[in-house]
Amino acid sequence: MTIVKTTNALDLLKGAILQTIHIEPVNRRSFASFGDIIQASPEAKSFPINQGNTRRFHDLATAIALGENARSIISIFRGRPFSLPLTLKMMERHPFGSQAFIPLRPVRFLSIVAPDVDGSPGTPQAFLFGPGQGLNYFVNVWHGVLTPLDEETDFLVVDRDGASGSDADENLQTFDFETPYEVQM
Amino acid sequence: MTIVKTTNALDLLKGAILQTIHIEPVNRRSFASFGDIIQASPEAKSFPINQGNTRRFHDLATAIALGENARSIISIFRGRPFSLPLTLKMMERHPFGSQAFIPLRPVRFLSIVAPDVDGSPGTPQAFLFGPGQGLNYFVNVWHGVLTPLDEETDFLVVDRDGASGSDADENLQTFDFETPYEVQM
């Protein structure tokens, strides 16, 4: 038996031409369908507490952990910085929980997100977050991996842990793009 | 009718002599009954994710929100710095939720906590937290207000919101000391 491997010219072409995504500064409206921006901004609801020594910027995001005995847990992610342009090959989402990322020093990072189109990520968008900003991805939103830009950075992360940590796989869906994207300023 | 006001000499004396609490550096063992230390320390469980670009320091704390329809929410507290020595007049606790505080830049802050003794705080302890450290108070642990030491500091806070935000009062118990404490290094 002879196995004949055929090459699809279109596939080769698609592999060669990366589509470019240009980074845009984030704002509440453009990010609204993907998650919350966590920021002590003048627009956020805030009020004084502790005899006026503290101002509470209240309820900037909700931590969601779906499923019986699931927990919202607090972790730290230490992320290596990325250089631009970067190649986006993969996105992921978490069907059972939100996921918040807040840098523990004032740095820039990227959030790459995409709408869902029939169970796969549609065209991604890349948002630039600046010092003093974090985010909370809503449940099941397609997003790229942690992407600090300036230096190795610790992020506080609030996300979901399953009943025994055993269903972590179920809470992670990944999608590999046939043709990667190039992300640049 | 003549009202005679009597003065209790012991009360005067108690008011005049503040008990001193000396600040101690925090460690996992001494803080164990009060909460979790949130820190990317070598002792924490960690593992690489994202093709090795990120290290996850996993499950450093659990966010607890007790009560039907209660939520774990993410807020930012902007706290004015305190000078030492400081006077500790009051402590508080939250019977229905944990409360995490993580500074959003590498600074020092104090955590003043106390064991519960028959529904009131016992003798307080003051712990010094350093750069790279945050904490999560367990449910119903007596603690002082947010106490940064270096500068005005934003803290990420993960705590509980009630069903409609209407039972916030039920989740806050405060205790005023008859004789304040003096907290110093």
Side-chain angles (χ1 to χ4, degrees), chain B residues 93-114:
Chain B
R93 64 175 178 176
H94 309 296
F96 302 124
S98 58
Q99 193 171 38
F101 294 92
I102 305 96
L104 294 179
R105 49 176 70 235
V107 296
R108 302 175 310 148
F109 69 100
L110 282 191
S111 164
I112 305 177
V113 289

Side-chain angles (χ1 to χ4, degrees), chain A residues 40 50 52-57 59-63 71-78 80 104 145 156 159, chain B residues 40 50 52-57 59-63 71-78 80 104 145 156 159:
Chain A
N50 298 341
N53 287 307
T54 307
R55 177 163 284 275
R56 178 173 181 133
F57 296 82
D59 192 9
L60 303 173
T62 301
R71 297 178 301 141
S72 287
I73 60 170
I74 299 173
S75 303
I76 292 176
F77 283 18
R78 177 164 293 167
R80 289 190 190 146
L104 294 179
V145 299
L156 196 82
D159 64 1
Chain B
N50 298 343
N53 286 306
T54 307
R55 176 163 285 275
R56 179 174 182 133
F57 295 83
D59 192 9
L60 303 173
T62 301
R71 298 179 300 142
S72 287
I73 60 170
I74 300 173
S75 304
I76 292 176
F77 283 18
R78 176 164 293 167
R80 289 191 189 145
L104 294 179
V145 299
L156 196 83
D159 64 0

Side-chain angles (χ1 to χ4, degrees), chain B residues 93-97 140 160 165-174:
Chain B
R93 64 175 178 176
H94 309 296
F96 302 124
N140 221 22
R160 174 193 180 273
S166 60
D167 63 350
D169 289 348
E170 295 176 31
N171 192 34
L172 173 63
Q173 294 180 0
T174 61

Side-chain angles (χ1 to χ4, degrees), chain A residues 5-27:
Chain A
K5 289 186 79 173
T6 61
T7 301
N8 183 321
L10 186 59
D11 279 351
L12 277 180
L13 193 65
K14 283 162 74 179
I17 303 176
L18 300 187
Q19 295 178 73
T20 297
I21 298 168
H22 286 279
I23 297 166
E24 49 193 307
V26 74
N27 64 57

